Amino acid sequence: AEVKIGGKSKDITIMFSDIVGFTTVTENYPPEKLMSHLSEYFNELSTIIMDNKGTIDKYIGDAIMAFWGAPIADKKQAINACRSALLIQKRLKELNRKWQSKGKPKLYTRIGIHSGSAIVGNLGSADRMNYTIIGDAVNLASRLEYANKLYDTRVVISEDTYRMVEDVVL
């Protein structure tokens, strides 16, 4: 099909991640080393997300925006997103031990996950477009990531996501 601006409403599961205290890390670590460190972090997390059928939408500073259920339908999208969140937290424990032994800063990540309807498609201009998602469900996932800060937690999922995984995840 021709690639063009526009999208369709789909039920998807959205994840936002963000590094805890990243501003402090940037103030205390040389920029050249930080770029390499952050690239390793993104590579590790992105691999987990993609291995669990997720689509990386974009990297926003130190954040990752990802979603499940598009462009390929996924009946287990919420389970795959939650599995990714848990695997990310597990992998970061291992990486932080390695990074600490090499004198690199530890990176802790907050994650928000929500399942709902969003517009999925190409957004942008005739010269440059991005396959992305927009809508209230996307905004809610972002707010859930931030809620971790208020509750001193690492992963928060919405009730809609919980209903989709409650038989599999405790």
Side-chain angles (χ1 to χ4, degrees):
E2 179 185 354
V3 177
K4 59 184 180 176
I5 300 290
K8 294 181 182 178
S9 181
K10 285 191 153 204
D11 290 329
I12 59 173
T13 299
I14 305 121
M15 171 194 283
F16 276 85
S17 74
D18 192 50
I19 297 174
V20 176
F22 188 69
T23 300
T24 304
V25 173
T26 64
E27 293 168 349
N28 297 302
Y29 201 59
E32 310 79 38
K33 290 182 178 183
L34 181 60
M35 185 69 88
S36 173
H37 190 45
L38 191 57
S39 292
E40 181 180 0
Y41 165 88
F42 280 146
N43 185 61
E44 294 284 342
L45 272 61
S46 298
T47 297
I48 291 169
I49 291 166
M50 291 184 295
D51 284 351
N52 285 281
K53 301 182 181 179
T55 299
I56 304 290
D57 186 309
K58 61 184 63 84
Y59 304 102
I60 311 162
D62 62 310
I64 298 174
M65 178 178 162
F67 56 93
W68 285 257
I72 299 169
D74 180 4
K75 291 182 181 183
K76 295 182 178 182
Q77 61 180 280
I79 293 167
N80 287 328
C82 290
R83 180 182 297 117
S84 294
L86 295 174
L87 289 171
I88 284 168
Q89 296 301 340
K90 180 181 178 185
R91 182 67 180 130
L92 280 174
K93 284 182 183 179
E94 298 163 358
L95 288 169
N96 280 328
R97 281 193 295 275
K98 178 181 103 173
W99 289 335
Q100 184 177 26
S101 73
K102 294 182 175 188
K104 295 180 179 182
K106 293 181 180 180
L107 300 176
Y108 300 98
T109 300
R110 293 186 295 250
I111 295 172
I113 299 174
H114 174 61
S115 301
S117 181
I119 302 298
V120 180
N122 293 310
L123 180 68
S125 68
D127 296 324
R128 183 174 172 119
M129 60 184 80
N130 180 39
Y131 182 74
T132 191
I133 54 177
I134 60 171
D136 288 339
V138 180
N139 298 334
L140 180 53
S142 176
R143 290 186 189 108
L144 290 173
E145 178 278 313
Y146 183 80
N148 283 286
K149 190 174 189 176
L150 304 173
Y151 296 109
D152 194 27
T153 54
R154 293 289 159 83
V155 178
V156 172
I157 67 172
S158 70
E159 185 175 350
D160 293 320
T161 300
Y162 175 74
R163 281 193 214 118
M164 295 173 73
V165 301
E166 66 184 322
D167 294 336
V168 178
V169 179
L170 297 178

